[in-house]
Amino acid sequence: MYMLETEGVIIRVEPDFLEAESEPDEGRFIWSYTVEIENSSAAPVQLITREWRITDARGRTRVVKGEGVVGEKPVIAPGECFRYTSGAPLATPSGFMSGQYEMRRADGAMFNAAVPSFALDSPFMVATLH
């Protein structure tokens, strides 16, 4: 599991390669990732937008931006967590993701909570020694 804290918001990510949904011979590798967002601050926060940078093994990066996550803009009370699962396809057997969530405090102040970079590694990845 990967973890990072920004201004009292702790983000944990656990990726999982979905072999049954992937088609390696066709260059289609699928991962799910589960994100847990914990509010360890003293005030509620709301997730407003997301931005993901998805990079494959060839160094190609795709940026995905949008409102909320999985159709929600959750308000997370102090001491509470919000958890969701989503997915990402790649054309290569490995890569990584990173990103951020734009968060709003109860007083209206905005800040970006960083998502830790996490590896997307499949059993089809070929290691190269240098």
Side-chain angles (χ1 to χ4, degrees):
M1 182 171 292
Y2 300 82
M3 184 179 88
L4 190 60
E5 181 176 350
T6 306
E7 297 189 34
V9 174
I10 302 166
I11 300 175
R12 296 177 186 88
V13 182
E14 187 165 355
D16 185 34
F17 178 65
L18 302 177
E19 189 166 358
E21 295 181 30
S22 297
E23 298 174 358
D25 293 340
E26 296 180 24
R28 183 169 164 80
F29 302 87
I30 309 294
W31 283 263
S32 71
Y33 55 90
T34 299
V35 178
E36 182 178 87
I37 304 166
E38 178 182 348
N39 181 2
S40 67
S41 74
V45 294
Q46 182 176 20
L47 189 155
I48 304 299
T49 65
R50 71 184 182 286
E51 178 178 316
W52 289 107
R53 288 174 298 288
I54 306 165
T55 304
D56 70 15
R58 294 185 187 109
R60 294 178 296 206
T61 299
R62 179 169 48 113
V63 177
V64 178
K65 297 179 181 184
E67 297 286 316
V69 291
V70 294
E72 296 185 51
K73 291 184 179 179
V75 174
I76 308 165
E80 298 292 326
C81 294
F82 177 79
R83 185 178 171 103
Y84 74 94
T85 300
S86 191
L90 283 181
T92 61
S94 67
F96 64 93
M97 288 179 64
S98 62
Q100 64 184 13
Y101 299 120
E102 182 181 42
M103 309 293 286
R104 180 171 44 219
R105 297 187 199 294
D107 66 3
M110 306 292 280
F111 69 99
N112 291 325
V115 176
S117 292
F118 57 96
L120 302 173
D121 295 326
S122 79
F124 299 94
M125 188 176 75
V126 177
T128 304
L129 298 176
H130 297 271

